[in-house]
Structures are given as structure tokens and as C-alpha cells.
Amino acid sequence: MIHEVTSSLPKFKTLRFTQGLNIVLADRTDKSTQTDTRNGSGKTSLIEILHHLLGGKAEPKSMFRQPPLDEHWFAMVFDLAGQRVRVQREGATPGKVTVATFTSDGAVLDEETISNEQWKRRLGAEVFGLNEEGDWAPSFRSCISYFLRRQSAGGFQAPTKHFSQQMTWDIQVNLSFLLGLDVDLARAWQRLRERERQMETLRKAAQGGALGELVGNSGELASELAVAEDELNRLTASVADFTVIPTYATVEAEVTRLGQRIRALNNQIISDREYLAQLENNLDEVQTTRPTGLAELYAAADVQLPEVALAAYDDVQAFHDSVIANRRQYLDAEIRRITSDLAANTSERNRLAEQRSDGMRLLSSGGAAETLLELQRDVAKRQVRVEQLRHRYDNAITLESEQGELRLERQRLAAALTRDLAERQQVLRPAFVIFERLSQRLYADQQHGRLVVNATDNGPEITATIPRGRSKGITNMQVYCFDLDLITLWSRRERGPGFLVHDSHLFDGVDERQRASALQVGAEYAAAEGFQYIVTLNSDETPNELPDGSAVEDFVLPERLTDHGDDGGLFGLRF
């Protein structure tokens, strides 16, 4: 329990608490609706002070690090693991706390200044028995926040959330711990969600996002990879068999020149063959020409020529025979020349063709150094391409197999959670019964509330509900019943903080009858279960007596707060 809250502020109103129900009452002299912790009487600020002393964050904008509070310390005396302890923290050194332990007779047993992180670890171990660390483990700060809710953090919006932006894993892990469920299963669900989140990121990227060139369909990539590897193997083999010819360019030029010369000779040979055929044909015509004598022609016509005419004709015939003979000699000489040229050109062509074939064989057996370098560069590019495809293929296989494994893991965890909840029904039974009885005490005229723990495909789902009737502030009373359930469970285990603190905001919108019932039920449970119930209330919203006739004033702390004047509030000053 908490014994005392004090400060070095000169006019701070030290609050001293007792066992059972403690009401911190604020007299409201006006109708202010201020809810900020820096205004009003300081009821909500008491919650902030308790969080500050129990390891809460003290960021630069924290009120404890702003003037005028940054020059002062706050302290609390409370029971921790069976010993009375005093913790003190200053705004000027928010990273450190001073902790003193007292003996049973009030003497200081020891005192030390430790870091706030060390203090939180000690609180976790001694208040809740926490010893697990690492990702997604239960934490003291999250667990204690269910016993010390803050309006500014949205702590009254839902029973299972002490913070409006509280993550699903934080709810599941810490409530599993507080209710006695398997925390490892809740942590396993979060590990699964993290893996699924990463896979979803990769999946979206593979569909055309940032990793569109790194991941793809495994089937398509397998085909593309096989083709690319085959092309690389063939090109690599060509490079391995490649012979570098130092005079490759010279040989290549000579082969080209020889080809041109051979084509010219072929053209010449074709032309000479055509000319030879023409000469031989002309020679045949000359050789077969047999001119008929003029005398013979006339004789055949029975015409007798005179001797003079015959003599002249003989001269003509001799001249004609001479022409034929000369023609035959020319054709014979020309045929011999063309035949000789044909033989020479054919021989030259064959010789050049052999030289060209030798050059072609040399070129086909290798190539220039530049060609080899080009081939090697091509091989390097293809190797990079193959490695990229192989990497994409491996990623695709990993992605697809991981997605399948995640589906199986989700099914496995859901089945394990269902079995675990069935096995822990005896553990959960008290929590179910307490919540139902609390709601029955508050709303006897309507259907009672239910605390339900379900195994879902997203981990344990914990709900605390009271059916809506004609009552106002129903959600706030769901929070009330849930918190009272938790402190009762932990008090029965003889562990936990030993106190439950509710800000007056919890009772906003709650009917006066339910408000009075809540105070009486809280007082009864605190007395019966041995915990301390601290409530901050405004005087104009506080009933005069409880349903059993007890005076509310009997539970009000002697030190009353007020929003009248600069020094009427908890801090003794306005800022």
C-alpha cells in the first residue's frame, strides 16, 4: 500500500493514506471543467506523481522537468515486497531515483541512488515477479498502468487498454501475464505478426514495388534462369576454346583481298570461256567453207565463159582463198591465247582460293584479342544476369515457402491457444466470477457483465463488457470492474502493487447511484482482499453516504484540495 506522497515544494499538500478505501477530495468552489494536470486542484496530478515515482518517463516536456517543479523532488513511501520503501525523484536528474528501505521500527536500513531503468527492473521483479526480458516481454510499466490509469493517455476508453494507442501485442502479452495465461503464446503471436508484416512488405514490393526486380514468380524465374544459364554455359565454352591470333587483322584483310581477287578472276574466266566458244564456232565456219568456182556455176547453167573472164575469176579466187587462210590462222592464234589465259587464270584462282581457305581456317580457329575481350565482357554481363536471376529465384522460393509456413504457424498457434485456454479454465474461473459479481453489484436490475477470453486467429482476445441499459457511463464501469478484478486476483496471490488508484475522470457520466455503489464495493473488496483503493473525487460529485448507510466522509483524507486560490491545490501553487 501507499503510505505517503510528499514533495520539497514548500506548500505541497502531503497526502497520508491508510488501508482500504481512501478518497482524495477536492472542493470545487467554481464550475471549472479543466482536465489538464497543470490546472485545477491537482487530483489528476496525483496520478502523474505516482507514475513519475514508479519509473514513468520524464521527457523534456514533462511537467516535472519544467519550472517551477524542476527544482524540486517528489517522494512516496509505500510497501514493496514486504518492506517499507521510500522513493525520491528530482526533475533536475530524471534518470536517477533515490531508494531507501526501512526496518520494521522505522529506521533506515539502506539507501542508494540508482538509475530509473534499474528501479523499473526492481519494481517488476518485486511487485509482479517479472524476470523475462527481450522483445515483447511483459513490462512493469505496462502492467502497473492497469492499476494506475491516466486520463491523459486515454486510460478509460476501454477496459483492456491503459493507453489509447496501445499495441495489440502489448495488450495480449501483459494481460496474459496478469490473468495467468501463457505469456509465451502471446509473444509467439507477435513474432508471427512481425514475420507476416515483413512478408507482406516483400510481397507488395514483388508486385511492382521497390523489389520488383529482386523478387518474382518462382515458376517464371525458374524458366528464365534455365535459359540464361544455358546461354552463359555456351558462351563460356566458346571463350574457353578461343585462340587469340596476334595478326588477326592482317590475316582478315588478306582474306578479304584474296576474295576480291578470286571474284575478279572468276569474272575474267567466265568472259574468256564465252569468247573462246565464239572463236571456236567461227573457226568451224571457216573450215567448212568451200567456195564454188564461177566457171562451175556457169557450166551448171550451160553457159560458156570466155577465157578472159575465167582468167580474172581465177585471180579473185586466189585472193579469196588467201583471206580464208589468214582468217583461219588468226582464229587459231586467238584460240591458243585465250586457252592459255584460261589455264593461267584458273591456276591463279585455284592458288588464291587455297590461300584464302588457309586464312579462313586460321580465322575460324580463333580471333583477335579485342574479340576475346568483348566475349569475356559479354560472359561477365551474363554471369551478373544469371546471379540476379538466381537471387530473385531464391527470394521467390523463400517468400512463397515462408508464406506457406506462416499460414501453418498461425493455425498451429490458434490450436495451441485453444488448448491452453481449455487447460487454464480453473485459473481463469476466479477472474470470470469476480467480474460478473462486481457488475451484478453495480447493475442489479439488468443483465450482468462478462469477462471473456477467446482464442482467435490473431491471438488471445480479452473482452470485459456490461450490457448497455439505461445507465450512463457504462464503459467507465466496465473499466472499474476490470481493474477491481485484477487487483483482487493479485491480492489473493499476495503479489502485485497492493493498491488500485482511480482518477475522478473514471466516474464522469456515471449515475450517482452507480458512483455510490462503486465506492462501497471498492471499500468492501479492499477490506476483504487486503488491498488499498485510492479514489480522487470532486466534492460536488461525491455522495454523502454509501448504499449501506456509511458516511463517505469517513473515507476522505484529512488533507483536502480545492481549486480556490493559488495555494489550494495539491502543489500549493498555480503554474
Side-chain angles (χ1 to χ4, degrees):
M1 63 173 282
I2 299 172
H3 296 280
E4 180 182 272
V5 175
T6 187
S7 171
S8 62
L9 284 165
K11 295 185 179 182
F12 185 85
K13 293 176 175 54
T14 298
L15 300 178
R16 294 178 176 85
F17 302 93
T18 61
Q19 293 181 342
L21 175 63
N22 291 256
I23 298 177
V24 179
L25 197 63
D27 293 321
R28 300 188 66 179
T29 57
D30 55 32
K31 297 299 180 181
S32 172
T33 59
Q34 295 167 326
T35 59
D36 189 275
T37 57
R38 294 179 178 231
N39 297 311
S41 59
K43 302 184 308 300
T44 300
S45 294
L46 172 62
I47 310 296
E48 296 298 330
I49 292 172
L50 295 178
H51 272 286
H52 183 62
L53 294 172
L54 291 173
K57 291 182 179 180
E59 297 175 338
K61 293 185 179 180
S62 167
M63 69 178 186
F64 300 104
R65 296 180 62 179
Q66 301 295 322
L69 302 188
D70 60 337
E71 300 176 355
H72 296 275
W73 52 258
F74 292 85
M76 174 176 65
V77 178
F78 70 112
D79 293 331
L80 180 62
Q83 289 185 306
R84 185 164 295 194
V85 171
R86 182 180 189 273
V87 57
Q88 178 178 310
R89 192 177 185 187
E90 299 180 18
T93 56
K96 297 182 180 297
V97 296
T98 300
V99 183
T101 304
F102 300 96
T103 62
S104 58
D105 58 1
V108 176
L109 180 62
D110 62 66
E111 182 176 281
E112 62 177 343
T113 298
I114 59 177
S115 71
N116 190 54
E117 291 300 316
Q118 291 174 306
W119 176 231
K120 287 192 292 184
R121 285 195 292 270
R122 177 179 171 182
L123 287 170
E126 297 186 1
V127 174
F128 295 110
L130 290 171
N131 53 22
E132 290 189 76
E133 295 184 356
D135 294 336
W136 311 304
S139 71
F140 170 77
R141 287 298 309 151
S142 190
C143 286
I144 196 63
S145 295
Y146 285 102
F147 302 87
L148 195 60
R149 293 180 186 258
R150 289 186 290 186
Q151 167 71 12
S152 60
F156 300 121
Q157 294 178 1
T160 57
K161 296 175 68 174
H162 60 74
F163 176 49
S164 59
Q165 302 301 319
Q166 191 175 356
M167 303 294 289
T168 298
W169 75 264
D170 190 81
I171 297 171
Q172 291 181 345
V173 167
N174 289 285
L175 284 185
S176 291
F177 172 75
L178 291 174
L179 291 173
L181 302 178
D182 188 345
V183 174
D184 288 337
L185 272 178
R187 297 177 73 180
W189 276 103
Q190 180 56 21
R191 283 192 289 270
L192 174 63
R193 281 189 286 266
E194 282 296 304
R195 290 170 60 192
E196 288 176 332
R197 182 185 61 81
Q198 295 170 0
M199 287 301 101
E200 181 63 16
T201 300
L202 282 177
R203 187 188 65 79
K204 289 181 178 179
Q207 292 178 343
L211 298 180
E213 292 299 320
L214 299 180
V215 184
N217 178 277
S218 63
E220 295 176 355
L221 288 172
S223 176
E224 190 175 355
L225 176 61
V227 173
E229 286 178 334
D230 180 68
E231 292 176 349
L232 174 61
N233 291 336
R234 288 191 290 106
L235 189 59
T236 301
S238 298
V239 171
D241 296 338
F242 193 90
T243 301
V244 176
I245 302 173
T247 58
Y248 184 90
T250 302
V251 174
E252 186 178 37
E254 180 63 15
V255 167
T256 300
R257 187 190 67 80
L258 290 174
Q260 294 172 345
R261 178 58 181 158
I262 288 171
R263 284 193 295 273
L265 288 173
N266 281 332
N267 292 336
Q268 185 62 47
I269 289 171
I270 292 172
S271 176
D272 287 347
R273 283 176 179 172
E274 292 176 350
Y275 184 41
L276 177 61
Q278 182 180 355
L279 289 175
E280 288 175 344
N281 183 58
N282 292 340
L283 181 61
D284 289 342
E285 291 179 355
V286 170
Q287 289 177 341
T288 56
T289 300
R290 295 183 55 153
T292 303
L294 185 61
E296 295 173 349
L297 291 175
Y298 278 89
D302 292 330
V303 178
Q304 294 295 323
L305 295 175
E307 288 297 329
V308 175
L310 289 175
Y313 171 76
D314 289 338
D315 291 336
V316 172
Q317 184 67 41
F319 174 75
H320 182 264
D321 290 341
S322 174
V323 169
I324 293 300
N326 289 337
R327 176 65 174 168
R328 185 179 299 111
Q329 290 177 356
Y330 169 77
L331 290 175
D332 286 339
E334 193 67 9
I335 288 173
R336 287 193 298 271
R337 184 184 68 78
I338 291 301
T339 300
S340 177
D341 289 347
L342 276 172
N345 287 340
T346 301
S347 177
E348 177 67 6
R349 183 196 64 182
N350 293 339
R351 184 182 67 81
L352 295 180
E354 185 65 25
Q355 289 183 4
R356 185 174 180 275
S357 296
D358 292 340
M360 290 293 292
R361 282 192 294 271
L362 181 60
L363 293 178
S364 64
S365 67
E370 294 81 359
T371 303
L372 177 61
L373 290 176
E374 184 63 31
L375 288 174
Q376 290 173 336
R377 283 193 290 268
D378 195 11
V379 167
K381 291 179 181 179
R382 291 178 183 269
Q383 285 174 335
V384 171
R385 175 61 175 164
V386 166
E387 287 303 314
Q388 289 177 339
L389 287 172
R390 186 175 292 116
H391 184 60
R392 291 176 59 191
Y393 176 73
D394 292 342
N395 285 342
I397 291 295
T398 300
L399 176 61
E400 293 169 9
S401 62
E402 180 73 5
Q403 288 174 334
E405 290 174 5
L406 289 176
R407 286 191 292 270
L408 292 176
E409 179 65 9
R410 181 170 284 275
Q411 295 173 1
R412 186 192 69 79
L413 284 178
L417 180 58
T418 300
R419 289 193 301 270
D420 183 66
L421 292 180
E423 294 169 358
R424 293 177 187 265
Q425 282 304 302
Q426 289 301 114
V427 175
L428 290 170
R429 184 184 299 274
F432 297 154
V433 172
I434 292 170
F435 188 88
E436 192 274 342
R437 288 179 179 175
L438 288 171
S439 66
Q440 183 181 15
R441 289 289 303 276
L442 295 178
Y443 300 98
D445 59 345
Q446 64 185 61
Q447 187 178 353
H448 304 154
R450 289 287 184 269
L451 175 64
V452 179
V453 182
N454 281 320
T456 73
D457 60 359
N458 194 36
E461 181 183 69
I462 303 166
T463 56
T465 59
I466 300 175
R468 293 187 177 275
R470 296 184 298 274
S471 304
K472 299 179 181 178
I474 194 75
T475 300
N476 293 33
M477 289 300 94
Q478 291 171 356
V479 172
Y480 168 87
C481 292
F482 186 75
D483 293 355
L484 213 62
D485 195 347
L486 288 181
I487 188 62
T488 300
L489 292 172
W490 278 87
S491 295
R492 291 180 180 180
R493 300 176 195 171
E494 297 184 351
R495 296 296 295 267
F499 58 81
L500 172 64
V501 183
H502 276 156
D503 185 17
S504 60
H505 291 291
L506 177 67
F507 301 99
D508 289 345
V510 177
D511 290 344
E512 183 178 353
R513 182 168 60 91
Q514 270 78 40
R515 193 181 305 125
S517 296
L519 292 176
Q520 179 168 315
V521 171
E524 291 177 2
Y525 269 74
E529 305 294 344
F531 63 85
Q532 183 183 53
Y533 184 38
I534 299 175
V535 182
T536 68
L537 290 172
N538 293 315
S539 59
D540 60 341
E541 298 175 344
T542 304
N544 293 325
E545 63 179 20
L546 301 181
D548 64 356
S550 302
V552 172
E553 188 67 29
D554 294 341
F555 301 99
V556 176
L557 298 189
E559 190 68 58
R560 297 169 73 109
L561 309 179
T562 178
D563 60 3
H564 178 66
D566 292 340
D567 59 354
L570 178 64
F571 295 101
L573 55 85
R574 282 194 179 272
F575 57 93

